Structure formats: structure tokens, C-alpha cells
Amino acid sequence: MSVQPDMSAAVPSQGAKAPSGSVGTSLLPGATLGVLGGGQLGRMFVHAAQAMGYFTAVLDADADSPAGLVSHHHVQTAYEDPEGLARLAGLSDAITTEFENVPAQALRTLGAERPVAPAASAVAIAQDRAQEKAHFVRCGVPCAPYAVIETAAQLAAVDAAALLPGILKTARLGYDGKGQARVKTPEELAAAWQSMGQVPCVLEKRLPLALECSVIVARGADGACVHLPVQRNLHREGILAVTEVYEGNVPAALAQQAVAAAKSVAEGLQYVGVLCVEFFVLEGGTLVVNEIAPRPHNSGHYSQNACDVSQFELQVRTLAGLPLTQPRLHSPAVMLNLLGDLWFARGGTQPQTPPWDAVLALPGTHLHLYGKAQAKPGRKMGHLNITAPTAEAARATALQAAALLGIAPF
Ligand code: ATP
Ligand code: MG
């Protein structure tokens, strides 16, 4: 007996508005996908959406934002602007975010009009380190010992023996190591909290790290959940510098544990979209969750060239309610972050274009630049993905590229 497939779902809904209801009713190419935030993550989302035949709309106040520059529509207002949000909702069939620090209220406002993924409730948790840690505890995924410090009484009650030396982190609005202070004594802790303006903070015990890794999961509204392979990450001065992905980059048992933990964190949030979970591996081999990002992540950029589905295509698929298939790593890969510092690596006070031609002469190099006009130290300008037949070859080429660019060896 042959069963005829139901072809009705394959008819493009050219420009059609989403049926009411949650994300999960497929929006097919021809629809318009909106994104809050115009940074590089939004730009790469827009590129992936457009490659699949979607129209795109970006909301960002900056006329020259990386994503706004390449989108079909660009609404140039602040995230809180009701008129801007209404315009984005009017243009879009479904909306996502590229930035966890958008006010959760903006997502709630949009969510009343259109399917929004991830949900405001999940983003609100990822925005706040105290809530984020409480969520890890709920999911039974171990994190660093910590204390929430919102009041002078909580500061005075800190168990110094258990939490110092530690890292004081503002509960909200931190990124790339900003809003953090390393403290060794109760006096240093009090001074650091004072200098942060006594805003709500989390004090974390400083742990002996053997390595850092992260996992990107994509979860659909139907609960289907897929993941990218575990990424091994090297940070320098609080900023991601290098990501390495290949068989054996972390011990296999740890990788399995990290994937399972990342999935339970997503599951616990009833998450829809792409979620990155960052981990520490301690010197004794224990896995500890660090933090989550409710969006594609810098450590997942290698997937653009090394996987059969990139993290940005996964974001498109989850937002549009398309099926998720388990991504496959087809090449060992190394990603080098290209910070603005590289424009000054050859000396001088004026920025100089790095030697892209020499870098691109190396086999398996893939250059991604974000279209930012001005290079500044510490600013993420782009990344270089290196793919090769073997992990050794990928690392060797990455080290050659790093030497050409003025990135310290790793
Ligand atoms: P990003 O948003 O860029 O991921 P962030 O500003 O949110 O960074 P964290 O991820 O909290 O900052 O910390 C940045 C880096 O600092 C970590 O990747 C790790 O190298 C180091 N670090 C943070 N917390 C601890 C800790 N408790 N013990 C040891 N090292 C830590
Ligand atoms: Mg981090």
C-alpha cells in the first residue's frame, strides 16, 4: 500500500501572515522573519534566512548596524519604542532576538502580536545571573558555588571561606567579561560592590579551570531538540579568542555529559530557539555550568563552515517552525575571533587592514567580517573559520593564520 504524502504543507505562503498561535505552525520561505538587534549575530541570522528565501526585518537604532545594513527592512528605533515595535510586528511573521539584553518587556509586547522565540520568560532568566543560577539548581545541573548580593545585609552575610577568592559579577548587562571584579578578601568584595554602584550582583567562587567548553542546542516548539558538537573555548581577557571543534577536543564522557546538561537546561525553560550553554571543566574533571545565552553564540560560528547545518540556520528553522535534523560536523574546525586589536597589530595609531589575502591563501580558511566601519581594540570585527581534513591540519593552519594576523599562539 502506498501512502501519498500530504503536499499542502509544501505550498509557499508567499508573504502570508502567520496563522494565529505559537511558533510551530511552519512559516515557509516567502514569509518575513524579524529580529530584535542589529549586531553581528543578527546579520548572520539575516544572511541565513535570506539564503533560504525569507524576507527579513531588523530593529536597531543604529543606521549602520551590521544586520540593518543587509536586511530587507530596517526599523531604526530603540528597543523600547512602542512605535518601532509595532512596525517590526507589522512587517514580520515571527520574531527572534540576537541580543539577550533587549528589555524582556519588548519581547512581551511583540509576543502579543506575533509568534516570538525564544519567549520573553526564557530571555528574562538568561538576562539575570541570579535567576539563571536558580534555574541551573532547579534543573539539577551543578554551577559554581555562589551568593546573590542585592543588599548590605547579604554582603555582610557572605561566607568568605566558601566563596573567596571569587568573582563578583553584576546580575545584569555583563558581557565579554565586563561588569566583573576578581576579589580575594571581604574588604575587596565590599569595595568592588561599592564601585559597581551596589547594583544586584552574584558572587561566584573562583574555580580552578582545566578548560572551557560550550554546547549549542536548538529546540522546536514541538520539543524536538538537536545539538551541535561540543565546542572547546579559549578566552583571553574575558573575551572568547579561539574555538576548536573536532573528535577528542574534550574527553568523550564529558562531551556527553555537557550535551545532556545543555538539553535539560533548554527543556527546563520549555525553550524554543537556539540556546548556548557555557561550561567550565575543573581540574579534577568535574563539569560545571557557567551561563547561558538565549541565541546563537560566538563559540558556534565554526558551524557556518564545518557543519551541515549552521547555528543560524537552526535559528531560522526554530523560528519558522521547520523540522530540526541533527547537525553533523563534516570537518574538524578552528575558529579565530578577529578583534579590532588586529587592525593595530602592525604598529601605528591608524587602523590598518589585516593581510586577508595572505590568510586566504591558506587552505580551508573562511573569512567572516561584520561590516563594522571602525576597528577598536576589544571590538568583535569578524571571525576566521578554518576547516581541514584532520584536527592536526586545522590547528596547524589556524596557527599560521594567527601568526599572520598577530594573534598569540594557542
Ligand atoms: P560572555 O558574555 O562573553 O560569555 P561574560 O561577560 O558573561 O562573558 P563569564 O562567562 O561569566 O562572562 O566569564 C568570562 C570568563 O571569565 C569565563 O569564560 C572564564 O574564563 C572566567 N570565569 C568566569 N567565572 C569564573 C569562575 N567562577 N571561576 C573561574 N573563572 C571564571
Ligand atoms: Mg561567558
Side-chain angles (χ1 to χ4, degrees), residues 13-401:
S13 66
Q14 186 76 37
K17 288 291 162 212
S20 60
S22 62
V23 178
T25 318
S26 291
L27 281 171
L28 297 178
T32 300
L33 302 180
V35 57
L36 267 177
Q40 62 265 18
L41 299 175
R43 178 181 172 103
M44 292 182 272
F45 167 79
V46 162
H47 283 153
Q50 292 179 346
M52 293 172 74
Y54 289 96
F55 293 90
T56 60
V58 167
L59 185 145
D60 192 294
D62 179 1
D64 298 320
S65 74
L69 288 175
V70 298
S71 180
H72 293 99
H73 306 280
H74 180 185
V75 179
Q76 285 175 38
T77 70
Y79 302 127
E80 302 87 351
D81 184 324
E83 203 234 329
L85 292 172
R87 268 168 49 214
L88 182 68
L91 287 164
S92 310
D93 295 298
I95 300 159
T96 189
T97 178
E98 62 113 36
F99 179 56
E100 66 264 43
N101 291 328
V102 308
Q105 188 50 46
L107 291 172
R108 278 188 209 103
T109 305
L110 292 169
E113 303 286 323
R114 289 283 179 266
V116 167
S121 55
V123 176
I125 289 175
Q127 273 173 355
D128 186 306
R129 290 189 194 276
Q131 288 193 49
E132 186 176 71
K133 288 197 158 44
H135 179 69
F136 298 147
V137 173
R138 270 197 303 277
C139 296
V141 177
C143 61
Y146 74 100
V148 175
I149 299 179
E150 290 176 342
T151 64
Q154 285 171 321
L155 177 74
V158 161
D159 181 350
L163 296 177
L164 297 178
I167 305 183
L168 184 69
K169 303 181 178 182
T170 58
R172 303 176 71 87
L173 301 176
Y175 70 99
D176 289 347
K178 294 186 175 70
Q180 301 194 4
R182 297 185 168 212
V183 291
K184 290 201 197 77
T185 61
E187 295 70 37
E188 284 181 18
L189 170 63
W193 192 52
Q194 188 72 38
S195 75
M196 286 175 181
Q198 302 187 334
V199 294
C201 283
V202 166
L203 172 67
E204 263 178 55
K205 184 180 172 65
R206 192 163 164 198
L207 301 172
L209 310 189
L211 61 94
E212 296 187 63
C213 63
S214 56
V215 177
I216 286 170
V217 296
R219 190 171 179 277
D222 60 357
C225 192
V226 300
H227 63 93
L228 293 179
V230 175
Q231 295 113 208
R232 179 171 179 156
N233 302 322
L234 171 69
H235 291 82
R236 288 179 174 153
E237 287 162 37
I239 306 179
L240 182 67
V242 182
T243 295
E244 299 183 52
V245 189
Y246 39 75
E247 199 68 40
N249 62 347
V250 303
L254 264 177
Q256 269 180 14
Q257 224 185 318
V259 169
K263 286 189 171 182
S264 68
V265 167
E267 189 72 28
L269 291 168
Q270 286 297 296
Y271 193 84
V272 178
V274 169
L275 178 77
C276 179
V277 184
E278 293 182 60
F279 295 95
F280 299 141
V281 178
L282 308 189
E283 275 161 13
T286 310
L287 185 78
V288 166
V289 63
N290 172 22
E291 60 172 357
I292 58 175
R295 49 165 174 80
H297 191 258
N298 197 164
S299 64
H301 290 353
Y302 72 96
S303 62
Q304 292 172 309
N305 301 108
C307 293
D308 57 1
V309 184
S310 77
Q311 61 171 348
F312 300 103
E313 184 176 337
L314 290 172
Q315 188 182 20
V316 172
R317 286 186 183 223
T318 53
L319 183 62
L322 293 172
L324 295 174
T325 58
Q326 177 53 45
R328 186 176 62 84
L329 182 78
H330 55 65
S331 286
V334 177
M335 184 224 54
L336 302 179
N337 248 356
L338 305 173
L339 300 181
D341 308 62
L342 306 185
W343 274 249
F344 301 91
R346 278 149 298 282
T349 49
Q350 288 310 306
Q352 270 182 291
T353 302
W356 304 132
D357 44 0
V359 168
L360 292 171
L362 300 171
T365 49
H366 312 269
L367 181 62
H368 299 261
L369 291 173
Y370 308 146
K372 296 183 184 177
Q374 220 194 337
K376 289 187 206 153
R379 189 173 200 200
K380 289 177 177 170
M381 301 298 290
H383 62 274
L384 184 74
N385 287 338
I386 297 109
T387 55
T390 64
E392 294 69 30
R395 272 189 60 87
T397 304
L399 285 166
Q400 282 179 281

